[in-house]
Amino acid sequence: MNYEAELNKELKKRQDIETALNESSIVAITDHRGVIQLVNDKFTELSKYTKEELVGSYHNIVNSGYHSRAFFHNLWKTIGTGKVWKGEIKNKAKDGTYYWVDTTIVPFLNDNGRPYQYIAIRHDITKRKQYEETIKQLAYYDQLTSLPNRHLLREWGNNLEENHMITVFFLDIDRFKSLNDNYGHYAGDVILQKVADRLWRCLRESDFIVREGGDEFIILLDNVYKHEDVEAFAGEIIGQFEKPIYLDHQAIKVTTSIGISINQLQSEYDDRSKAIETFIRKADTAMYHAKKQGGNTYCFNTQSQNYDMERYQQMEHELRFALENDQFTIVYQPFIGLQSGQIVGLESLLRWHSPRLGTVSPVEFIPLLEELGLIIPVGKWILKSVCYQLKAWQDEGIYLQRVSVNVSPVQLRHRDFIKDLKAILTDTKIDPAYLDLELTEGAILNVSESAAVINELQALGVSISIDDFGTGYSSLSYLKQLPINTLKIDKSFIHNLDFDEEVIVNTIITMAQNLNFTVLAEGIESYDQLAYLQSQKCHEGQGFYWSKPVNASAIPKLYNTMKHDQHDALISKH
Ligand code: C2E
Ligand code: MG
Ligand code: MG
C-alpha cells in the first residue's frame, strides 16, 4: 500500500475535522458498531440525554424515524469503507422534540484499513430548517387546504418519466359563488377544506393534487390513461360528493364539474411545465362543458371544445367594455292575468349585442357578469333604466300593476344594494309599489341573512317575486317567513306538463294560494298549457303564447290591445 497516499488521506480527514469543529460543535465518538464512547456537553444539551445514558448506547438512540432505511444504508456504506460522510439529519431528543443537525462523520482506520472509530461533528440547524419549512409551506402549499399549489406542480412534473401518460382532472365546485354568497365566506372556506379532504381520499401515492385557486382543483394521474380506468376514477370522485357536507348541522349538497384530458408527456425536457400547462388548459376547457351540462358530471376534452374556450375568453374580454359602449338593451315581456286576459305587468330582460360575437343569450353572459363582478354596475344601470322607463310610461298614461327587474344574488348581497336602490327611486320619482324585484330561490337560501334585506325591501315598498320556483331548494313553508308577493313557477314544469309535472304544479298553486302569494306560470307557449293553468286557478301567466320579450317602444301598442282584449276573445282565437 502506498504509505504517502495513506498519510495524505489521514491528514485530509484531520482537516475535515478541524474545519468542522468550532465552539458550537456537537461532538460524539463511537466505535465501529456505532456505540457511543464519548460526547461533549453540547451533545447532551441538545439531545437532553445525560452522558451516562449516552455512553455505551448505540448512536441510533437519537434517530427520529424521519429518514429512510436507504438513507442510513448509504451513510454506513460511505463511512464503513473509510470515507467521510456529510449531510443533514433530523434527530429526536429524549423529550420527544426534534432537532436538525448538519453532520460530518469521519472514520478512523486501523492498519487493515478498517474503521475502528468514528467521530461525528454536528451543528444545530433546527432554526434554519424550520425557516426553510415555513418558506416551503408558504411557497408551495395553499394555506387554506394545505394542498400543494402550482409551484409544487412544476417540481412534480420535473420528476416524471418521459413518455408517461398524464391524465389531468380539472375540478370546479358547482355554484360555489352562490354557496359563498348564501352561507358566507367562512362557510365557503370550510367547504373548500372538506372538498380537499374528499378529493385527497381518492388519490394513489403517485397522483398529485393542486388547489389551483378559488374553487378549482387539479388532479394529475401518472400513467392512468385507459378510458375505463379514467372513467372509474371520475366516478369515484363524483361518488365522494353524494353525501352532503355538514356545516353546523346544516347539510349542504356540494357537487363538482370535472374536465378531463389524457395526454402523453413527450420527451422534450425543457418544455415540461409548458406541456403540463397545455394539458391543464385542455382539462379546464372540458370542465366548462361539464358545467354547461348542468354540473355534477365529467366531460372529456375534444377538439371542438378548444374552439368554444376561445369564445368564452372573447366574451369575457368584450363584456368589460359592453356597458360603456352601450351594447346592452332592455326588452320587456308581459304578464297576463289568466282570468281577465289583461296585461298586468312586464318583466324586464337584459340583452347584449356584441359587435364581434353577435347577440349572446343572458343565460350565457349573466353568470360571467357575476363572476367578473360586473353585475353590480350593470345591475344598477338596469334598475335605473327600468325605473326611468316606468316613469315615462306612466306619464303616457300606461299603468301596469308592476314592472319587474331580475336581481342577481350577487347584487342582493352587495352592501350598497339598498342604498343604491333608494337613490334610484328618489331620482326617478317613481312609486316603489310599481317596482317588483325577481329573486331566485338560490338568492334567498340562507333565510336569516336574506330575510333582513328582503324586509328592508318591503319597507321601501317594492314587491318581491321568487323566480324559477321549483328548481331550487326552498320549500314553501320556509318562504312563508318572508314578505313575498309572487311565485313564478319555472318554465321547465310548464313545458313538459305530463302527470308528474301536473302534480308539482298543482301542489305549488294550492299551497301558494293558502299562503296568499300570487302564482305566475312562466313559459306558456300553447293554448293547452294555458287552459290547464286556468283550470287550476293559476293567477297569472307569461310566455311566447302572448308575446316574446319586446323593445320598450312596442309596449304602448301591446298595452292598448291587451288591455281591451277580453279573456274569452283571447282564447277564441284558437
Ligand atoms: P327568467 O328571469 O326566468 O326570464 C324568463 C326567461 O324565459 C327569458 O329568457 C324569457 O325570454 C324566456 N321566456 C319567456 N317566455 C317563454 C316561453 O314561452 N318559452 C320559452 N322557451 N322561454 C320563454 P332570457 O331573456 O333569455 O333570460 C334568461 C334568464 O337570464 C332569465 O330568466 C334571468 O334569470 C336572466 N336574466 C335576464 N335578464 C336579466 C337581468 O336583467 N338581470 C339578471 N340578473 N338576470 C337576467
Ligand atoms: Mg325573471
Ligand atoms: Mg324565470
Side-chain angles (χ1 to χ4, degrees):
M1 188 173 285
N2 184 336
Y3 179 74
E4 200 175 308
E6 263 319 287
L7 184 68
N8 282 338
K9 231 162 123 185
E10 273 314 299
L11 286 174
K12 169 80 180 52
K13 276 183 203 160
R14 268 157 223 273
Q15 272 170 20
D16 278 326
I17 295 172
E18 264 168 44
T19 35
L21 265 177
N22 63 37
E23 68 272 25
S24 65
S25 299
I26 301 147
V27 185
I29 293 176
T30 73
D31 69 11
H32 67 284
R33 298 164 305 169
V35 174
I36 298 172
Q37 298 175 321
L38 214 75
V39 291
N40 70 349
D41 291 343
K42 290 275 177 205
F43 195 114
T44 57
E45 227 173 82
L46 198 62
S47 70
K48 312 273 191 333
Y49 288 102
T50 61
K51 269 188 185 150
E52 290 70 31
E53 287 171 314
L54 289 168
V55 172
S57 299
Y58 278 93
H59 196 286
N60 66 14
I61 184 170
V62 291
N63 276 12
S64 63
Y66 174 84
H67 303 281
S68 65
R69 281 173 62 146
F71 175 90
F72 285 109
H73 180 78
N74 179 36
L75 182 155
W76 276 104
K77 208 173 126 192
T78 309
I79 59 178
T81 49
K83 292 188 212 97
V84 175
W85 184 91
K86 283 182 208 260
E88 293 178 348
I89 302 185
K90 185 180 185 176
N91 282 341
K92 190 173 168 179
K94 190 182 176 185
D95 63 0
T97 57
Y98 295 99
Y99 59 92
W100 275 93
V101 280
D102 161 50
T103 303
T104 306
I105 306 176
V106 181
F108 287 100
L109 308 181
N110 61 21
D111 291 343
N112 302 326
R114 291 179 173 249
Y116 65 92
Q117 233 177 9
Y118 298 105
I119 174 164
I121 301 160
R122 301 183 165 88
H123 298 102
D124 184 3
I125 54 164
T126 311
K127 279 241 162 60
R128 193 194 88 206
K129 276 285 177 189
Q130 281 167 347
Y131 187 63
E132 277 175 10
E133 264 310 302
T134 315
I135 301 263
K136 201 171 156 196
Q137 192 68 32
L138 287 173
Y140 289 118
Y141 292 88
D142 166 47
Q143 296 309 293
L144 181 67
T145 60
S146 305
L147 293 182
N149 66 18
R150 271 227 165 179
H151 300 293
L152 204 56
L153 173 65
R154 200 161 296 150
E155 306 231 317
W156 181 81
N158 286 336
N159 291 328
L160 288 173
E161 283 173 46
E162 58 189 60
N163 290 323
H164 260 207
M165 300 297 291
I166 306 299
T167 295
V168 181
F169 280 67
F170 198 107
L171 292 98
D172 187 289
I173 301 177
D174 296 327
R175 288 174 287 278
F176 183 69
K177 238 188 145 61
S178 75
L179 290 175
N180 233 340
D181 288 340
N182 293 318
Y183 295 101
H185 286 279
Y186 172 72
D189 284 354
V190 177
I191 290 172
L192 286 171
Q193 286 166 338
K194 297 201 171 181
V195 167
D197 285 346
R198 289 185 186 192
L199 294 178
W200 189 250
R201 278 184 226 149
C202 302
L203 303 190
R204 304 166 307 164
E205 206 169 326
S206 55
D207 303 334
F208 194 77
I209 181 166
V210 178
R211 177 170 173 222
E212 165 72 355
D215 60 336
E216 296 173 338
F217 297 87
I218 301 171
I219 294 175
L220 294 104
L221 306 181
D222 182 13
N223 250 9
V224 176
Y225 55 89
K226 283 204 207 99
H227 205 82
E228 63 262 33
D229 295 343
V230 175
E231 277 198 310
F233 187 80
E236 206 180 313
I237 293 181
I238 302 256
Q240 285 291 336
F241 293 95
E242 269 162 16
K243 291 209 185 91
I245 284 178
Y246 284 93
L247 267 179
D248 303 332
H249 309 300
Q250 196 168 16
I252 301 177
K253 177 80 179 151
V254 176
T255 59
T256 67
S257 295
I258 306 172
I260 306 170
S261 71
I262 302 176
N263 318 272
Q264 185 167 29
L265 193 65
Q266 307 287 2
S267 46
E268 66 251 27
Y269 266 114
D270 336 340
D271 280 318
R272 239 175 212 214
S273 40
K274 232 189 194 160
I276 292 182
E277 279 302 316
T278 312
F279 304 165
I280 292 175
R281 213 173 43 239
K282 281 162 66 186
D284 186 4
T285 307
M287 185 276 289
Y288 275 97
H289 283 261
K291 284 259 152 163
K292 270 196 183 163
Q293 293 170 21
N296 195 21
T297 188
Y298 59 88
C299 206
F300 283 88
N301 175 260
T302 62
Q303 198 45 46
S304 69
Q305 287 172 6
N306 299 340
Y307 167 78
D308 276 14
M309 193 63 202
E310 272 172 40
R311 175 181 160 82
Y312 181 86
Q313 280 161 354
Q314 211 171 5
M315 227 161 65
E316 181 172 331
H317 178 75
E318 304 259 306
L319 267 182
R320 291 182 194 277
F321 306 99
L323 187 59
E324 61 195 67
N325 291 342
D326 290 329
Q327 292 169 3
F328 289 121
T329 51
I330 296 170
V331 290
Y332 296 86
Q333 190 183 30
F335 303 140
I336 311 297
L338 292 190
Q339 301 308 320
S340 69
Q342 289 197 356
I343 183 167
V344 291
L346 295 170
E347 174 173 12
S348 63
L349 293 157
L350 186 62
R351 292 291 175 263
W352 177 37
H353 185 83
S354 148
R356 289 177 63 192
L357 298 163
T359 303
V360 184
S361 160
V363 181
E364 219 180 333
F365 73 78
I366 298 267
L368 202 51
L369 284 179
E370 290 174 339
E371 203 171 299
L372 299 171
L374 291 170
I375 196 70
I376 302 299
V378 174
K380 240 162 96 173
W381 175 83
I382 298 168
L383 268 170
K384 198 182 260 180
S385 311
V386 171
C387 288
Y388 273 115
Q389 185 60 62
L390 180 58
K391 184 84 183 110
W393 281 327
Q394 290 181 348
D395 290 346
E396 277 180 63
I398 297 174
Y399 269 86
L400 300 150
Q401 284 173 25
R402 65 180 192 277
V403 172
S404 72
V405 174
N406 290 285
V407 174
S408 138
V410 179
Q411 280 174 280
L412 195 68
R413 281 190 66 98
H414 193 255
R415 62 189 142 74
D416 290 338
F417 181 66
I418 298 278
K419 196 185 98 201
D420 291 343
L421 178 63
K422 275 187 192 162
I424 290 169
L425 291 172
T426 314
D427 288 352
T428 56
K429 303 194 184 63
I430 62 152
D431 179 349
Y434 293 103
L435 182 66
D436 178 87
L437 301 180
E438 294 194 7
L439 313 178
T440 56
E441 283 187 270
I444 56 161
L445 250 187
N446 191 342
V447 189
S448 53
E449 268 182 56
S450 53
V453 184
I454 293 177
N455 285 322
E456 267 190 88
L457 289 172
Q458 193 209 25
L460 274 180
V462 302
S463 65
I464 308 285
S465 299
I466 301 301
D467 206 352
D468 306 338
F469 188 78
T471 56
Y473 310 82
S474 50
S475 63
L476 278 164
S477 58
Y478 119 127
L479 291 179
K480 196 169 63 181
Q481 307 165 37
L482 300 169
I484 285 160
N485 305 80
T486 309
L487 276 194
K488 301 185 73 179
I489 305 176
D490 190 65
K491 54 178 176 288
S492 58
F493 298 109
I494 311 300
H495 285 172
N496 342 292
L497 264 177
D498 61 19
F499 184 72
D500 284 348
E501 273 70 26
E502 283 188 6
V503 173
I504 297 172
V505 169
N506 286 349
T507 314
I508 296 177
I509 294 174
T510 314
M511 290 191 69
Q513 283 166 345
N514 288 337
L515 294 169
N516 277 330
F517 295 147
T518 299
V519 202
L520 180 148
E522 292 183 322
I524 299 180
E525 293 181 357
S526 73
Y527 174 71
D528 286 350
Q529 291 164 349
L530 167 64
Y532 176 75
L533 288 157
Q534 277 177 326
S535 74
Q536 297 305 309
K537 304 268 181 303
C538 179
H539 303 123
E540 299 177 353
Q542 173 185 5
F544 297 167
Y545 177 75
W546 293 281
S547 171
K548 292 205 166 183
V550 295
N551 286 328
S553 59
I555 292 299
K557 193 171 159 224
L558 197 71
Y559 175 76
N560 287 318
T561 31
M562 299 203 73
K563 197 181 63 155
H564 303 301
D565 248 352
Q566 279 309 302
H567 175 65
D568 290 343
L570 195 86
I571 56 178
S572 68
K573 280 193 292 194
H574 295 268

